[in-house]
Amino acid sequence: MKLDRRTLLISGGAGIGLVVAFSLWPRHLESELAPARGEQTFGNFIRIANSGKITVAVPQVETGQGIWTGLAQIVADELGAAWESIGAEPAPLAKAYANAMAKEEGWPSGVRITANSTSVRAFEQPLRQAAATARAMLVGAAADRWNVDPSSCDTADGFVINGVRTFTFAELAEEAADRSVPRNVALRAKERLIGQALQRLDGPAKAQGSWRFAGDVRLPGLLFASVRIAPPGGRVTQFLRDLAAKIPGVVHVSTTDRWVAVVAENWWTAERGAKAGDPHFSGTRSAPDMRQAFEHALANVAGHEWFSRGNYGAAVRGSRPLAATYFAAPSQHLGLEPVTATARISDGAVEIWAATQAPGFGKAYQNLYPMPAGEPAGRAMEPDAASIAAELAKSLGRPVQVVLSQSVSQNQDRVAPGALARMTALPGEGGITAAWAMKVATADGLGSALARLAGKDAPDRLGRSALGGAVPPYSIPSIRIEAVDAELPITPGYMRGSPEREFAFFTESFIDELAHAAGMEPLAFRMSMLGGNGRLARCLQAAARLSGWDGGGQGSTMGIAGASAFGSHIGLVAVASIGEEQRVKAHRLVAAVDCGRTVNTGLVQQQIAGGLVWALAQATVHSPEWIAGMPRARPIGGIGLPRLADTPDISIEIIPSSEPAGGISGLGTLPVAPALANAVHAGSGRRMRSIPFNPMAEG
């Protein structure tokens, strides 16, 4: 279904783009975009209005990572537009916007998804090619008017230029859009806007409070619903409907085996009704701590070999490798935005407004208006409230907005599954590691989310989405990685930076152990094994230089760690200690980043800094108690999330690079936990092998 974006009540960011074979295009550019009066379309990504306004259809969800700005900046640069003339809107729900990296990431073909820091990597080239084609058509129209060779013309600041003569894009758009499509258009050789820290397109609206999220949708006759949902595998066993219905303002009470809902004229009344109904649920008993479930899987479930290089068995035969066990507990998103969806029945069809990072995939609704996500860490991958809102709207014949309370949002979180890893390694000559093995028990967060969206119970087998980052970035001759699919009572889901974040903790912490066992300085130890990864080596060296790295020896408060993921690389030095309350305190974080060709340096700085602080919270906030496979809800103010006073001094250096653009959204989350753990070990001698940290339990 082609969606006219002018009919959307609230604009949102969603979708993904496909590398288009321009040699197969028709003579006139076809487009999935619906132009307004006075607008011309140039393929699937660009509209130019007679006012001079240029709109870029962005095929990714804006989750706060700035992708509406980054992808629009790519178009503006290649087109030769003035940044002040650029606007952005969500791309329509059409097949033309499928993620071009789906196959490489191991996702289903044609999936529409914003995940794994793929946005720029998937869409830079399609957007550049689309903009270059539009530029050639504008230049061709101007050259015809001037009766000159198009090669004598250029574009800049929204003009086509030939010597002292100019035409604005607005003056040429109608004529240019009707031209035959040029073949084999060359991309711009000299960049003008790429690399600049241009102002974010979503910044002013967010600062003014006019940026609309799923909870801001308002429709005529809208009702509001508060919902309680059963634990995984559980069902509703009791709900006092009469008491819920007696609350003044309640207009409807609905119950199913899996959930109960109270509908009212406002959400607060609906929430009072839900509490009055006092719902009870059945559920499978689960341990309050998830670690024993991982340990059981590692000890009793057969694994499969995920990766192998060299001959680990031969390398360690007759020796006693160094061994350690590391654990990353399942972790919550803990976003401030509650799970929300609005549904309306129109001409017998269901319309849905919801934040979702995979719009149009699997069993998703056809008439879906994807909203920007206010929770940046991946909880919006699945629009859980959409099906409940749709069922209520069908029953009542009025639009209904379902908002899960903060407590229910925590209970029903699709958590990062965590992992338990047994590491072994054999030092070689001069301390260089000769053999490395890891046997890890884990589950597939993103794979599970995609399976649910497709109407399946679970992924068939642990794959890339569960084991990305498991292979260390070092030149170790013999490596063996075994994976065990852990059967967990929780509901795993997608989280930004995971599982690479967990594996970075395992790898970089164990590397630090190996360095100390070999009597080598941790940075020098890493450098000795990075001959095949010069970009990561430069990041580690730059972080060490910027931080005044002191070697991380006994009595130091410095720890170092690095990671390569999403086509990018990061080195980090942390200054940390154990505070008076026996909690890890980060004093300073110094990062050096190589993310290839940088589209917007401001976005890189923001995303790396945000990832560092987010990962600091994930590493230091205590795990919840687990009940019936759900995290027990906690007041946000009492969880212990870092506050402004807890924020360490942060320094970030972007290393110039001509390599292809890499991902950054999840990159800053990766090295924080190991760098902190290594710093604490240097200063106190305590080796922390579990996250979130608990210094009282480890030594």
Side-chain angles (χ1 to χ4, degrees):
M1 173 182 181
K2 182 181 292 187
L3 296 177
D4 184 343
R5 310 316 289 186
R6 291 170 293 168
T7 67
L8 300 190
L9 297 177
I10 308 293
S11 65
I16 314 260
L18 176 69
V19 177
V20 180
F22 278 77
S23 62
L24 303 179
W25 277 28
R27 290 187 59 79
H28 297 281
L29 278 175
E30 294 183 353
S31 178
E32 294 287 350
L33 305 178
R37 183 179 300 229
E39 284 186 329
Q40 306 298 323
T41 61
F42 291 81
N44 290 324
F45 295 103
I46 301 169
R47 296 203 317 264
I48 301 178
N50 56 16
S51 65
K53 183 70 174 179
I54 299 170
T55 302
V56 180
V58 180
Q60 291 292 77
V61 178
E62 177 60 66
T63 67
Q65 82 280 44
I67 202 58
W68 278 28
T69 301
L71 294 185
Q73 189 167 342
I74 290 168
V75 170
D77 183 81
E78 189 64 49
L79 189 60
W83 185 241
E84 295 77 16
S85 69
I86 296 292
E89 69 176 20
L93 296 182
K95 292 181 179 179
Y97 302 99
N99 193 304
M101 292 190 67
K103 183 177 180 181
E104 182 178 335
E105 291 292 325
W107 303 332
S109 176
V111 67
R112 300 171 57 84
I113 186 171
T114 301
N116 284 10
S117 301
T118 57
S119 296
V120 170
R121 292 185 288 157
F123 295 107
E124 180 181 24
Q125 289 308 309
L127 286 168
R128 288 191 71 191
Q129 189 67 68
T133 300
R135 170 169 48 82
M137 296 170 76
L138 291 164
V139 167
D144 285 352
R145 291 192 186 186
W146 289 321
N147 195 25
V148 298
D149 191 316
S151 64
S152 66
C153 304
D154 197 2
T155 61
D157 298 323
F159 294 89
V160 177
I161 303 168
N162 176 260
V164 297
R165 297 182 292 187
T166 63
F167 282 119
T168 66
F169 289 175
E171 293 174 296
L172 299 167
E174 186 172 355
E175 179 182 345
D178 199 42
R179 294 178 64 84
S180 296
V181 182
R183 307 294 182 90
N184 302 317
V185 178
L187 300 179
R188 186 183 293 280
K190 186 177 180 180
E191 298 169 341
R192 293 178 171 87
L193 300 179
I194 293 298
Q196 294 188 36
L198 299 181
Q199 180 182 3
R200 291 179 61 144
L201 295 181
D202 57 337
K206 288 180 175 176
Q208 298 161 5
S210 60
W211 185 263
R212 301 305 180 101
F213 297 98
D216 298 315
V217 173
R218 293 295 180 267
L219 302 172
L222 183 65
L223 295 171
F224 298 84
S226 181
V227 176
R228 301 291 189 269
I229 305 172
R235 57 184 295 273
V236 179
T237 58
Q238 174 187 301
F239 186 64
L240 306 176
R241 293 175 58 96
D242 292 343
L243 291 181
K246 286 180 181 179
I247 299 297
V250 168
V251 299
H252 179 76
V253 177
S254 182
T255 62
T256 71
D257 284 346
R258 287 282 302 137
W259 51 264
V260 300
V262 178
V263 184
E265 296 291 342
N266 61 73
W267 186 82
W268 296 108
T269 297
E271 174 67 5
R272 285 180 59 208
K275 290 180 178 178
D278 190 24
H280 289 206
F281 303 94
S282 66
T284 304
R285 184 179 297 276
S286 61
D289 184 350
M290 285 288 117
R291 179 162 181 153
Q292 61 183 273
F294 289 92
E295 291 176 340
H296 179 270
L298 206 59
N300 298 285
V301 179
H304 71 276
E305 188 172 83
W306 163 251
F307 178 85
S308 179
R309 181 169 69 212
N311 190 328
Y312 177 83
V316 301
R317 189 172 295 122
S319 62
R320 295 183 63 183
L322 183 69
T325 299
Y326 282 86
F327 179 58
S331 54
Q332 298 173 269
H333 292 89
L334 295 176
L336 293 178
E337 181 187 37
V339 176
T340 306
T342 301
R344 178 174 66 183
I345 308 302
S346 179
D347 296 327
V350 180
E351 294 180 293
I352 296 289
W353 286 260
T356 171
Q357 292 173 231
F361 175 63
K363 63 178 182 179
Y365 296 91
Q366 184 178 15
N367 297 336
L368 171 69
Y369 306 120
M371 306 300 295
E375 193 285 312
R379 180 62 182 90
M381 183 60 65
E382 301 173 76
D384 297 337
S387 60
I388 301 175
E391 188 165 334
L392 293 172
K394 289 177 183 177
S395 299
L396 295 169
R398 289 176 62 178
V400 176
Q401 183 173 101
V402 171
V403 179
L404 304 190
S405 68
Q406 179 61 233
S407 294
V408 176
S409 291
Q410 287 189 46
N411 293 153
Q412 297 297 323
D413 195 8
R414 281 32 176 149
V415 299
L420 180 72
R422 289 180 181 162
M423 320 282 291
T424 56
L426 181 67
E429 293 185 7
I432 296 176
T433 303
W436 175 285
M438 176 172 64
K439 185 176 182 181
V440 59
T442 188
D444 192 338
L446 178 55
S448 296
L450 294 179
R452 287 189 292 271
L453 288 170
K456 301 178 181 178
D457 292 332
D460 297 330
R461 192 182 188 188
L462 293 179
R464 178 184 173 89
S465 56
L467 297 164
V471 180
Y474 299 100
S475 299
I476 300 172
S478 295
I479 297 178
R480 184 176 68 202
I481 309 292
E482 292 180 88
V484 173
D485 193 349
E487 185 175 344
L488 305 173
I490 63 177
T491 304
Y494 171 67
M495 182 174 282
R496 173 184 63 165
S498 291
E500 288 83 359
R501 175 176 63 95
E502 291 84 342
F503 286 119
F505 172 61
F506 301 161
T507 296
E508 287 298 285
S509 298
F510 195 45
I511 282 286
D512 203 71
E513 289 200 54
L514 291 170
H516 285 281
M520 294 183 65
E521 186 267 325
L523 175 59
F525 184 76
R526 287 171 169 81
M527 296 300 295
S528 69
M529 297 185 291
L530 281 173
N533 193 342
R535 297 175 69 186
L536 178 56
R538 284 190 291 274
C539 289
L540 288 166
Q541 289 177 319
R545 170 178 51 80
L546 290 169
S547 65
W549 171 249
D550 62 5
Q554 185 176 359
S556 170
T557 56
M558 285 186 165
I560 193 166
S564 297
F566 318 122
S568 299
H569 310 266
I570 183 170
L572 179 72
V573 171
V575 179
S577 62
I578 298 177
E580 294 180 358
E581 298 179 354
Q582 289 299 301
R583 295 187 64 180
V584 173
K585 170 71 174 178
H587 305 285
R588 188 181 180 209
L589 299 174
V590 180
V593 176
D594 177 354
C595 57
R597 181 173 178 267
T598 303
V599 173
N600 184 308
T601 54
L603 293 179
V604 174
Q605 291 274 350
Q606 293 163 19
Q607 283 305 292
I608 296 300
L612 294 175
V613 174
W614 181 86
L616 173 63
Q618 289 288 339
T620 56
V621 170
H622 294 309
S623 290
E625 180 184 2
W626 296 86
I627 299 176
M630 299 190 306
R632 182 191 286 274
R634 298 171 285 176
I636 284 289
I639 291 176
L641 294 169
R643 300 174 183 266
L644 286 176
D646 302 316
T647 304
D649 178 66
I650 295 176
S651 302
I652 301 166
E653 178 175 288
I654 302 172
I655 298 175
S657 174
S658 60
E659 295 293 329
I664 58 168
S665 179
L667 187 68
T669 71
L670 307 187
V672 175
L676 292 174
N678 295 340
V680 168
H681 177 265
S684 68
R686 299 186 189 182
R687 178 64 69 182
M688 292 181 293
R689 299 189 178 96
S690 297
I691 49 174
F693 300 133
N694 184 358
M696 295 293 290
E698 297 189 88

